[in-house]
Amino acid sequence: MSDNDTKKPTGDAQTPPKGAPTDTPAAKVGPEPSNPPAGAKLDSPPAAHSGPTGTPPPKPAAPAGGPPPKPQPKNPGFVTAVIDGKEVVVKPGTNMIEAAKTVGSEIPYYCYHPRLSIAANCRICLIEASNAPKLVPACQTPMAEGQVIKTTTPKVKEQQRAVMEFLLLNHPVDCSICDQAGECKLQDYYMKYDYKPSRLEGTKALKHKRKVLGPRVVLDQERCIICTRCVRFMNEIPKEPQLGVFGRGSHERIDVFPGNELDSNYSLNTVDVCPVGALLSRDFRFKARSWFLSATPSVCTGCSRGCNISADWMSQDTYRYRPRENEAINKSWMCDQGRLSYKDLNVGRVLSARVGRGLQAAGTVQPVLTRKDAVAGALKALKPLAGSKQLAVLASPLASNEDLLAGLTFAKKVLGVTSVFAGGRPQGKADHYLMTADKNPNRQGLALIAKGLGLSLKGFDELTPAIKAGQVKALYALGTEVPTDAAAFAEVAASLEVFVAQAQNESPVTAQATVLLPASAHIEDEGTFTQADGITQRFRKAYPSKGDAVPHWKWATELTRELGGEAAAASARDVWRALSGQVSEFAEFNWDKASPPDREKPGINPLPSGADGRPPGYREFGAPRVRGI
C-alpha cells in the first residue's frame, strides 16, 4: 500500500501540472509550453539589439535537419492560443474543452468530467488543431503556445454527427419513459449535432434493461454509452472500485463485479455523472419529470459537513437533492445518506398549532387555532415563569443561525434564562470522505451563538435528570429533536407542567407539548448554517411553508413582542442584521453577498429547464393552486 492510498481524497482526480503559475504570474514563471506548432511566428517579435557598429546581429540559423526553434510565450507563465478566431490565455496544462469555455465556444463531450481522470473514449470532442494532421480529442489535449483551434468546421461537424449516429445505433430511444428526459445529453446533442434518422437495418443489440446494481441504483444497460464516468468515479473519488466494464464490442456493458453490489455511501453520485439515462436512482425513479421541477440552491442538513446542494421541488414537495459545486466543502459530490434526508420535509410535518397535550381519546377533534391564538396560549404558559429557575430552554442544532439568534435572544432577555440545553439528532457513523458523525447541520452555529449571547451551553444528558429531580418543571423548546430515544424522553416530558415546543416534525416528544407551534423547515425559508469547520453558508427559500408553519425566528419575534420585549424583524435578513453583531465569529460574514446564485455553472451540473421557458426556481410564486402546475 502506498502513501497515497491512506490519504483523504480531494475530489480532484487530476493534479495541477508542473510549473503551473501562481495567482500572481509575475512572481513565478512556468516552463516554456511543449508541443509547439511547426513554424509558428511570434505576434510581436522581440526588438533586435544592435552591435557596436549599430547594425543588428544576424539571427542564429536553425541546425540543418533539426526541429524549428520553440516560439517564445507571448504571456510568460501562460499559454496563448486562438480558438475560433478569439485569443485565449490559459494556464499550462489546460485542456481544450476548458479553454474553449473561456471564450464562449462549446465543445461537446460525454466521457470528460473536470474532476475525473481523462478517458477520451466517446470521441465527440474531436476538433481541428493547427499542430496536428488529424482531429484531436479536446478533453485529452493540453493547449500549446500559438496553437489555432477550430471547433465549427465542416470536418468537425461531420465527426460530431457521425459519433452521435454511432452512439444512438443500439440505443433504445425510450425517452418517453426515461427519467433522464429533459436532462439528457443524448437528447441535447442529437438536436444540435445530428438530427437525422437512424440508418440501422435490423434489430438492435439487447441487454439487461433493469439491472439492480445495489440498494439505491438501477442500471439500464441498453441506454449506456460506455463513457466509464461511473467506473472512474468509484475508483478515484470514494476509492471503492465496485463497477467495471465487461465484454467487448456491441456486448460491452457496465456492471458490478461478480458476487458484489454497488453499496457505497456515494453510489448515487454515479447517477449524477451519468450523461444519459443509464444509471438511475431507485428513490427518484418514475417520480417526476425534470421540466416540472424547480431547483433552489440550499445546504444539506444530513450531517455537519454542510454539503452544497440544489433542492429540486414541485408544488410544496421536495423530490431530490443534487450536489452543488463548492470547492471548499464538497467539491461536486455528496453522500447518499444526506441525499435522502429530504424525506422529512414532506412527511410527518407539524402543520397546525395545538394547545393541550396531543394524547387524546380516539375520535376527538382538535380545535383549529389561528397563529394569534397559538401565541396567546404560549404567552399564558410562559409569562408567569419568566425569570424562574424552574424554566429551561432546549435548542436544536438543526435550526438556522437566524432561528437561534432570535430564539436564544428571546430566552435570555425575556424569559431570563442563563443557560440552554443542546438537543439535536443522535451521533451516527462517519465515513472516510464527506460524511461526519455529527448529524446536525448547525452544531457550530449553536455553540457560537450561545457563547456570543453569554449563555452557558449544557449537554442534553443534563436535562433529563433535572426534570426527574423536579428542578425543571417548564420547558421552552426551539426544535424537538433529541439525541436519545424520543419515546423515552417523551415519558420524562410528560411530567412537565409547561412544555412549549416549536417543532418541524411530529414525534412522541411533540405529543407531550402543552403548546405546540408549527415551525418551517430550512427549505421553506432563507438563512445560514455554520458547518463543522466553522464555514457559514447561505441557503435560499424554495417554496412557501406547509400548513400554518412559520420559521422559528418568527415565533420568537411574536412571543418577544407579546411579552413586552423589542423585536421588529420582518425577515431572516432583519434578524441577522439586528442580532449577529453579538457573535464575533460572524463579523466577517456578509449575509447579502454570500447568497448563492440562482443558476449553476453551465456544463457542470445541468439544471432542469422549464417547458414554458421560465428559468428553474421561478416557476411558482406563492402557494400553488394546482399540484404540479
Side-chain angles (χ1 to χ4, degrees):
M1 178 180 292
S2 66
D3 294 339
N4 291 332
D5 293 333
T6 60
K7 292 181 180 179
K8 181 178 178 182
T10 63
D12 285 313
Q14 304 175 73
T15 57
K18 293 183 178 179
T22 61
D23 293 336
T24 55
K28 182 179 180 181
V29 178
E32 294 183 359
S34 60
N35 195 24
K41 295 182 179 180
L42 292 175
D43 292 340
S44 55
H49 296 281
S50 60
T53 60
T55 59
K59 295 181 180 179
K70 293 183 179 181
Q72 294 298 318
K74 184 178 179 181
N75 297 281
F78 291 87
V79 174
T80 305
V82 175
I83 300 179
D84 292 336
K86 302 174 183 176
E87 185 178 89
V88 58
V89 180
V90 295
K91 294 181 179 181
T94 303
N95 64 44
M96 295 177 176
I97 288 180
E98 298 298 332
K101 289 178 182 179
T102 64
V103 293
S105 294
E106 179 186 359
I107 300 176
Y109 58 86
Y110 286 112
C111 66
Y112 171 72
H113 191 284
R115 296 193 185 277
L116 301 177
S117 60
I118 304 296
N121 58 8
C122 74
R123 314 309 285 179
I124 199 173
C125 69
L126 297 179
I127 51 90
E128 283 193 61
S130 61
N131 60 343
K134 59 181 181 179
L135 299 181
V136 297
C139 64
Q140 193 179 38
T141 311
M143 298 295 296
E145 182 70 25
Q147 199 173 37
V148 177
I149 296 172
K150 298 178 181 179
T151 68
T152 58
T153 63
K155 187 177 181 180
V156 172
K157 290 183 177 180
E158 173 57 24
Q159 168 68 18
Q160 293 167 344
R161 189 211 62 76
V163 169
M164 282 302 305
E165 182 180 22
F166 172 75
L167 293 178
L168 290 170
L169 202 63
N170 285 309
H171 190 80
V173 197
D174 52 353
C175 306
S176 58
I177 62 168
C178 180
D179 275 301
Q180 193 78 357
E183 302 176 304
C184 179
K185 284 302 178 185
L186 274 177
Q187 290 179 331
D188 297 342
Y189 288 165
Y190 171 77
M191 301 301 293
K192 189 169 184 178
Y193 301 110
D194 187 8
Y195 204 59
K196 290 183 180 180
S198 174
R199 294 181 291 175
L200 176 68
E201 295 181 0
T203 60
K204 297 189 175 189
L206 301 180
K207 299 179 183 178
H208 205 312
K209 192 68 179 169
R210 288 171 291 276
K211 171 73 174 180
V212 177
L213 298 182
R216 292 175 291 276
V217 179
V218 62
L219 169 65
D220 188 328
Q221 293 178 344
E222 292 183 352
R223 298 174 185 165
C224 181
I225 62 172
I226 316 294
C227 72
T228 68
R229 274 188 177 186
C230 54
V231 178
R232 285 176 283 142
F233 168 80
M234 293 303 301
N235 292 349
E236 298 165 11
I237 306 304
K239 305 285 187 180
E240 298 171 325
Q242 298 176 352
L243 295 175
V245 182
F246 302 86
R248 291 292 183 267
S250 296
H251 300 285
E252 195 172 29
R253 68 196 185 279
I254 300 292
D255 208 339
V256 292
F257 294 104
N260 296 319
E261 63 176 1
L262 183 61
D263 59 356
S264 167
N265 192 33
Y266 296 89
S267 63
L268 286 173
N269 288 280
T270 62
V271 178
D272 293 330
V273 300
C274 182
V276 297
L279 289 165
L280 300 170
S281 165
R282 298 179 69 181
D283 175 70
F284 180 71
R285 193 167 178 240
F286 302 141
K287 295 287 179 65
R289 285 301 199 181
S290 64
W291 52 78
F292 287 137
L293 296 176
S294 296
T296 299
S298 190
V299 175
C300 176
T301 59
C303 74
S304 60
R305 176 70 62 186
C307 293
N308 286 215
I309 62 168
S310 289
D312 292 345
W313 53 276
M314 177 172 60
S315 183
Q316 285 177 289
D317 287 329
T318 302
Y319 280 76
R320 63 178 177 180
Y321 283 167
R322 292 179 297 120
R324 182 165 52 90
E325 188 175 25
N326 187 314
E327 192 70 25
I329 296 176
N330 62 308
K331 306 293 183 182
S332 300
W333 322 115
M334 69 182 299
C335 71
D336 291 359
Q337 179 176 312
R339 193 185 293 261
L340 299 177
S341 64
Y342 74 89
K343 296 185 177 182
D344 287 341
L345 306 175
N346 301 331
V347 297
R349 294 290 301 276
V350 178
L351 300 178
S352 59
R354 187 188 72 234
V355 174
R357 298 191 188 273
L359 303 176
Q360 297 186 357
T364 304
V365 179
Q366 289 280 2
V368 178
L369 298 179
T370 63
R371 190 194 305 174
K372 186 176 181 180
D373 295 335
V375 171
L379 179 66
K380 183 179 179 181
L382 292 175
K383 191 172 183 178
L385 297 168
S388 172
K389 293 184 178 180
Q390 295 182 334
L391 174 63
V393 173
L394 175 67
S396 171
L398 272 75
S400 69
N401 286 325
E402 291 72 17
D403 293 334
L404 294 172
L405 283 168
L408 296 188
T409 299
F410 162 70
K412 178 185 178 182
K413 295 186 176 180
V414 179
L415 297 183
V417 300
T418 58
S419 62
V420 58
F421 294 92
R425 297 172 181 148
Q427 293 286 101
K429 293 182 179 180
D431 67 15
H432 63 289
Y433 190 36
L434 291 177
M435 189 173 70
T436 64
D438 185 1
K439 304 305 176 183
N440 300 281
N442 204 26
R443 177 80 67 184
Q444 278 287 95
L446 173 58
L448 294 176
I449 291 169
K451 175 185 173 184
L453 297 178
L455 295 170
S456 62
L457 189 62
K458 296 183 178 181
F460 182 81
D461 54 355
E462 299 180 42
L463 178 59
T464 300
I467 295 175
K468 290 181 177 179
Q471 299 173 4
V472 173
K473 295 185 178 179
L475 182 65
Y476 168 65
L478 194 74
T480 56
E481 296 83 10
V482 293
T484 60
D485 180 61
F489 180 72
E491 295 180 3
V492 176
S495 63
L496 291 169
E497 297 176 4
V498 173
F499 184 16
V500 178
Q502 299 172 191
Q504 173 185 317
N505 290 86
E506 296 278 3
S507 71
V509 178
T510 60
Q512 297 294 344
T514 57
V515 179
L516 181 62
L517 308 176
S520 301
H522 78 286
I523 205 75
E524 298 166 349
D525 192 34
E526 57 182 347
T528 59
F529 288 129
T530 302
Q531 53 97 250
D533 298 326
I535 302 174
T536 301
Q537 303 181 99
R538 272 283 309 272
F539 55 86
R540 286 178 176 262
K541 177 180 178 178
Y543 47 79
S545 300
K546 291 178 180 287
D548 297 330
V550 297
H552 287 292
W553 63 261
K554 198 170 189 67
W555 286 119
T557 299
E558 294 187 10
L559 289 171
T560 300
R561 284 199 295 260
E562 292 297 326
L563 285 170
E566 295 183 3
S571 66
R573 180 176 182 269
D574 292 343
V575 173
W576 180 269
R577 296 186 67 177
L579 302 175
S580 65
Q582 301 175 72
V583 183
S584 59
E585 290 80 1
F586 292 159
E588 297 181 359
F589 182 79
N590 190 311
W591 201 87
D592 293 319
K593 290 184 178 180
S595 178
D598 58 350
R599 297 295 301 271
E600 297 181 13
K601 294 181 180 179
I604 295 179
N605 290 316
L607 276 173
S609 56
D612 54 4
R614 284 179 283 177
Y618 287 87
R619 288 187 210 115
E620 302 187 34
F621 293 90
R625 292 170 294 179
V626 181
R627 178 181 173 82
I629 296 180

Short mmCIF file of all heavy atoms in Angstrom, two decimals, residues 550-587:
data_model
loop_
_atom_site.label_atom_id
_atom_site.label_comp_id
_atom_site.label_asym_id
_atom_site.label_seq_id
_atom_site.Cartn_x
_atom_site.Cartn_y
_atom_site.Cartn_z
N VAL A 550 -44.48 28.61 10.44
CA VAL A 550 -43.66 29.81 10.21
C VAL A 550 -42.28 29.53 10.79
O VAL A 550 -42.12 28.63 11.62
CB VAL A 550 -44.27 31.08 10.84
CG1 VAL A 550 -45.60 31.42 10.23
CG2 VAL A 550 -44.39 30.92 12.35
N PRO A 551 -41.24 30.24 10.38
CA PRO A 551 -39.89 29.97 10.90
C PRO A 551 -39.79 30.16 12.41
O PRO A 551 -40.57 30.90 13.02
CB PRO A 551 -39.03 30.99 10.15
CG PRO A 551 -39.80 31.35 8.93
CD PRO A 551 -41.24 31.27 9.31
N HIS A 552 -38.81 29.50 13.00
CA HIS A 552 -38.58 29.62 14.44
C HIS A 552 -38.40 31.08 14.85
O HIS A 552 -38.91 31.51 15.89
CB HIS A 552 -37.33 28.83 14.84
CG HIS A 552 -37.50 27.36 14.83
ND1 HIS A 552 -38.31 26.68 15.73
CD2 HIS A 552 -36.94 26.40 14.03
CE1 HIS A 552 -38.25 25.38 15.49
NE2 HIS A 552 -37.43 25.18 14.47
N TRP A 553 -37.65 31.84 14.04
CA TRP A 553 -37.37 33.23 14.41
C TRP A 553 -38.65 34.06 14.46
O TRP A 553 -38.76 34.99 15.26
CB TRP A 553 -36.36 33.87 13.46
CG TRP A 553 -36.80 33.99 12.02
CD1 TRP A 553 -36.50 33.17 10.98
CD2 TRP A 553 -37.64 35.02 11.47
NE1 TRP A 553 -37.09 33.60 9.82
CE2 TRP A 553 -37.79 34.74 10.10
CE3 TRP A 553 -38.28 36.14 12.00
CZ2 TRP A 553 -38.56 35.54 9.25
CZ3 TRP A 553 -39.04 36.94 11.17
CH2 TRP A 553 -39.18 36.64 9.81
N LYS A 554 -39.63 33.70 13.63
CA LYS A 554 -40.88 34.46 13.62
C LYS A 554 -41.71 34.20 14.87
O LYS A 554 -42.29 35.11 15.46
CB LYS A 554 -41.69 34.13 12.37
CG LYS A 554 -42.76 35.16 12.04
CD LYS A 554 -43.34 34.90 10.67
CE LYS A 554 -44.25 36.04 10.23
NZ LYS A 554 -43.52 37.29 10.01
N TRP A 555 -41.74 32.91 15.30
CA TRP A 555 -42.42 32.62 16.57
C TRP A 555 -41.74 33.35 17.72
O TRP A 555 -42.42 33.95 18.57
CB TRP A 555 -42.42 31.11 16.85
CG TRP A 555 -43.36 30.28 16.02
CD1 TRP A 555 -43.03 29.28 15.18
CD2 TRP A 555 -44.79 30.39 15.98
NE1 TRP A 555 -44.17 28.74 14.60
CE2 TRP A 555 -45.26 29.40 15.08
CE3 TRP A 555 -45.72 31.21 16.61
CZ2 TRP A 555 -46.61 29.22 14.80
CZ3 TRP A 555 -47.07 31.04 16.34
CH2 TRP A 555 -47.52 30.06 15.45
N ALA A 556 -40.42 33.34 17.75
CA ALA A 556 -39.69 34.01 18.83
C ALA A 556 -39.93 35.51 18.80
O ALA A 556 -40.06 36.15 19.86
CB ALA A 556 -38.19 33.70 18.70
N THR A 557 -40.00 36.08 17.61
CA THR A 557 -40.25 37.52 17.49
C THR A 557 -41.64 37.89 18.01
O THR A 557 -41.80 38.88 18.75
CB THR A 557 -40.11 37.95 16.01
OG1 THR A 557 -38.77 37.68 15.57
CG2 THR A 557 -40.40 39.43 15.84
N GLU A 558 -42.64 37.10 17.67
CA GLU A 558 -44.00 37.39 18.11
C GLU A 558 -44.14 37.21 19.62
O GLU A 558 -44.82 38.01 20.30
CB GLU A 558 -44.99 36.52 17.35
CG GLU A 558 -45.06 36.83 15.86
CD GLU A 558 -46.17 36.07 15.15
OE1 GLU A 558 -46.99 35.43 15.86
OE2 GLU A 558 -46.22 36.10 13.91
N LEU A 559 -43.51 36.18 20.16
CA LEU A 559 -43.56 35.98 21.61
C LEU A 559 -42.83 37.10 22.33
O LEU A 559 -43.28 37.56 23.41
CB LEU A 559 -42.93 34.63 21.97
CG LEU A 559 -43.72 33.38 21.58
CD1 LEU A 559 -42.88 32.13 21.80
CD2 LEU A 559 -45.02 33.29 22.39
N THR A 560 -41.73 37.58 21.77
CA THR A 560 -41.00 38.69 22.39
C THR A 560 -41.87 39.94 22.46
O THR A 560 -41.92 40.63 23.50
CB THR A 560 -39.72 38.99 21.58
OG1 THR A 560 -38.89 37.82 21.58
CG2 THR A 560 -38.95 40.16 22.18
N ARG A 561 -42.56 40.25 21.38
CA ARG A 561 -43.41 41.45 21.37
C ARG A 561 -44.56 41.32 22.35
O ARG A 561 -44.90 42.27 23.06
CB ARG A 561 -43.95 41.68 19.95
CG ARG A 561 -42.91 42.26 18.99
CD ARG A 561 -43.58 42.89 17.79
NE ARG A 561 -44.28 41.90 16.99
CZ ARG A 561 -43.80 41.37 15.87
NH1 ARG A 561 -42.60 41.72 15.43
NH2 ARG A 561 -44.49 40.48 15.21
N GLU A 562 -45.17 40.12 22.41
CA GLU A 562 -46.31 39.93 23.30
C GLU A 562 -45.91 40.00 24.77
O GLU A 562 -46.71 40.38 25.63
CB GLU A 562 -46.99 38.59 23.01
CG GLU A 562 -47.68 38.52 21.66
CD GLU A 562 -48.83 39.50 21.54
OE1 GLU A 562 -49.51 39.77 22.57
OE2 GLU A 562 -49.07 40.02 20.43
N LEU A 563 -44.66 39.65 25.07
CA LEU A 563 -44.19 39.69 26.45
C LEU A 563 -43.51 41.02 26.80
O LEU A 563 -42.87 41.13 27.85
CB LEU A 563 -43.22 38.53 26.71
CG LEU A 563 -43.89 37.16 26.84
CD1 LEU A 563 -42.85 36.05 26.84
CD2 LEU A 563 -44.74 37.09 28.11
N GLY A 564 -43.62 42.00 25.91
CA GLY A 564 -43.13 43.34 26.21
C GLY A 564 -41.73 43.63 25.75
O GLY A 564 -41.20 44.71 26.06
N GLY A 565 -41.10 42.72 25.04
CA GLY A 565 -39.75 42.97 24.54
C GLY A 565 -39.78 43.72 23.21
O GLY A 565 -40.83 43.98 22.64
N GLU A 566 -38.59 44.05 22.71
CA GLU A 566 -38.46 44.75 21.43
C GLU A 566 -37.96 43.77 20.37
O GLU A 566 -36.89 43.18 20.51
CB GLU A 566 -37.48 45.92 21.56
CG GLU A 566 -37.96 47.02 22.49
CD GLU A 566 -36.99 48.20 22.51
OE1 GLU A 566 -35.99 48.14 21.76
OE2 GLU A 566 -37.23 49.14 23.27
N ALA A 567 -38.77 43.63 19.32
CA ALA A 567 -38.40 42.78 18.20
C ALA A 567 -39.18 43.24 16.98
O ALA A 567 -40.41 43.15 16.96
CB ALA A 567 -38.70 41.32 18.50
N ALA A 568 -38.48 43.75 15.99
CA ALA A 568 -39.14 44.31 14.81
C ALA A 568 -38.73 43.60 13.53
O ALA A 568 -38.93 44.12 12.45
CB ALA A 568 -38.82 45.80 14.69
N ALA A 569 -38.14 42.42 13.63
CA ALA A 569 -37.67 41.72 12.44
C ALA A 569 -38.84 41.23 11.60
O ALA A 569 -39.80 40.65 12.11
CB ALA A 569 -36.79 40.54 12.85
N ALA A 570 -38.74 41.46 10.29
CA ALA A 570 -39.77 41.01 9.36
C ALA A 570 -39.25 39.93 8.43
O ALA A 570 -40.00 39.40 7.62
CB ALA A 570 -40.30 42.18 8.54
N SER A 571 -37.97 39.60 8.52
CA SER A 571 -37.37 38.58 7.66
C SER A 571 -36.13 38.04 8.35
O SER A 571 -35.63 38.60 9.34
CB SER A 571 -36.99 39.17 6.29
OG SER A 571 -35.95 40.13 6.43
N ALA A 572 -35.62 36.92 7.81
CA ALA A 572 -34.38 36.35 8.36
C ALA A 572 -33.23 37.33 8.20
O ALA A 572 -32.33 37.39 9.04
CB ALA A 572 -34.07 35.02 7.66
N ARG A 573 -33.25 38.09 7.12
CA ARG A 573 -32.20 39.09 6.89
C ARG A 573 -32.21 40.14 8.00
O ARG A 573 -31.16 40.55 8.49
CB ARG A 573 -32.40 39.74 5.54
CG ARG A 573 -31.38 40.80 5.18
CD ARG A 573 -31.64 41.30 3.76
NE ARG A 573 -30.65 42.29 3.34
CZ ARG A 573 -30.79 43.60 3.50
NH1 ARG A 573 -31.88 44.09 4.08
NH2 ARG A 573 -29.85 44.43 3.08
N ASP A 574 -33.40 40.57 8.42
CA ASP A 574 -33.51 41.55 9.50
C ASP A 574 -32.97 40.99 10.81
O ASP A 574 -32.31 41.70 11.59
CB ASP A 574 -34.97 41.98 9.69
CG ASP A 574 -35.50 42.78 8.51
OD1 ASP A 574 -34.68 43.27 7.71
OD2 ASP A 574 -36.73 42.89 8.37
N VAL A 575 -33.26 39.71 11.06
CA VAL A 575 -32.76 39.08 12.29
C VAL A 575 -31.24 39.06 12.28
O VAL A 575 -30.60 39.40 13.28
CB VAL A 575 -33.32 37.64 12.41
CG1 VAL A 575 -32.67 36.92 13.59
CG2 VAL A 575 -34.83 37.66 12.58
N TRP A 576 -30.66 38.69 11.15
CA TRP A 576 -29.20 38.64 11.06
C TRP A 576 -28.59 40.02 11.28
O TRP A 576 -27.63 40.18 12.04
CB TRP A 576 -28.78 38.08 9.70
CG TRP A 576 -27.30 38.01 9.54
CD1 TRP A 576 -26.47 38.97 9.02
CD2 TRP A 576 -26.44 36.94 9.93
NE1 TRP A 576 -25.17 38.56 9.06
CE2 TRP A 576 -25.12 37.31 9.61
CE3 TRP A 576 -26.67 35.69 10.51
CZ2 TRP A 576 -24.03 36.47 9.85
CZ3 TRP A 576 -25.58 34.86 10.75
CH2 TRP A 576 -24.30 35.26 10.42
N ARG A 577 -29.13 41.02 10.63
CA ARG A 577 -28.56 42.37 10.73
C ARG A 577 -28.70 42.93 12.14
O ARG A 577 -27.85 43.69 12.61
CB ARG A 577 -29.23 43.30 9.72
CG ARG A 577 -28.98 42.90 8.27
CD ARG A 577 -29.52 43.91 7.30
NE ARG A 577 -28.80 45.18 7.40
CZ ARG A 577 -29.03 46.23 6.62
NH1 ARG A 577 -29.95 46.16 5.68
NH2 ARG A 577 -28.34 47.34 6.77
N ALA A 578 -29.79 42.55 12.83
CA ALA A 578 -30.02 43.12 14.17
C ALA A 578 -29.25 42.39 15.27
O ALA A 578 -28.85 43.01 16.25
CB ALA A 578 -31.52 43.08 14.47
N LEU A 579 -29.02 41.08 15.11
CA LEU A 579 -28.52 40.29 16.24
C LEU A 579 -27.15 39.64 16.01
O LEU A 579 -26.50 39.25 16.98
CB LEU A 579 -29.53 39.20 16.60
CG LEU A 579 -30.94 39.68 16.97
CD1 LEU A 579 -31.86 38.48 17.19
CD2 LEU A 579 -30.90 40.57 18.21
N SER A 580 -26.71 39.51 14.75
CA SER A 580 -25.46 38.77 14.52
C SER A 580 -24.24 39.51 15.05
O SER A 580 -23.18 38.90 15.24
CB SER A 580 -25.29 38.49 13.03
OG SER A 580 -25.14 39.70 12.30
N GLY A 581 -24.34 40.81 15.28
CA GLY A 581 -23.21 41.57 15.79
C GLY A 581 -22.75 41.13 17.16
O GLY A 581 -21.61 41.43 17.57
N GLN A 582 -23.61 40.40 17.90
CA GLN A 582 -23.22 39.91 19.22
C GLN A 582 -22.30 38.69 19.15
O GLN A 582 -21.75 38.28 20.16
CB GLN A 582 -24.48 39.56 20.02
CG GLN A 582 -25.43 40.74 20.19
CD GLN A 582 -26.71 40.33 20.89
OE1 GLN A 582 -26.72 40.07 22.09
NE2 GLN A 582 -27.81 40.26 20.15
N VAL A 583 -22.18 38.11 17.96
CA VAL A 583 -21.32 36.93 17.78
C VAL A 583 -20.11 37.37 16.97
O VAL A 583 -20.22 37.67 15.78
CB VAL A 583 -22.09 35.81 17.06
CG1 VAL A 583 -21.21 34.57 16.93
CG2 VAL A 583 -23.38 35.49 17.79
N SER A 584 -18.94 37.41 17.59
CA SER A 584 -17.74 37.94 16.93
C SER A 584 -17.35 37.10 15.73
O SER A 584 -16.80 37.63 14.75
CB SER A 584 -16.58 38.00 17.93
OG SER A 584 -16.30 36.70 18.46
N GLU A 585 -17.63 35.81 15.75
CA GLU A 585 -17.25 34.93 14.63
C GLU A 585 -18.05 35.23 13.37
O GLU A 585 -17.66 34.81 12.27
CB GLU A 585 -17.43 33.46 15.00
CG GLU A 585 -16.43 32.94 16.02
CD GLU A 585 -16.79 33.33 17.46
OE1 GLU A 585 -17.83 33.99 17.67
OE2 GLU A 585 -16.02 32.96 18.37
N PHE A 586 -19.18 35.93 13.50
CA PHE A 586 -19.99 36.27 12.33
C PHE A 586 -19.63 37.62 11.74
O PHE A 586 -20.24 38.06 10.76
CB PHE A 586 -21.47 36.28 12.71
CG PHE A 586 -22.03 34.93 13.05
CD1 PHE A 586 -23.19 34.83 13.81
CD2 PHE A 586 -21.40 33.77 12.63
CE1 PHE A 586 -23.72 33.58 14.13
CE2 PHE A 586 -21.91 32.52 12.95
CZ PHE A 586 -23.07 32.42 13.70
N ALA A 587 -18.65 38.31 12.31
CA ALA A 587 -18.36 39.68 11.92
C ALA A 587 -17.94 39.80 10.46
O ALA A 587 -18.30 40.75 9.77
CB ALA A 587 -17.28 40.28 12.83
#
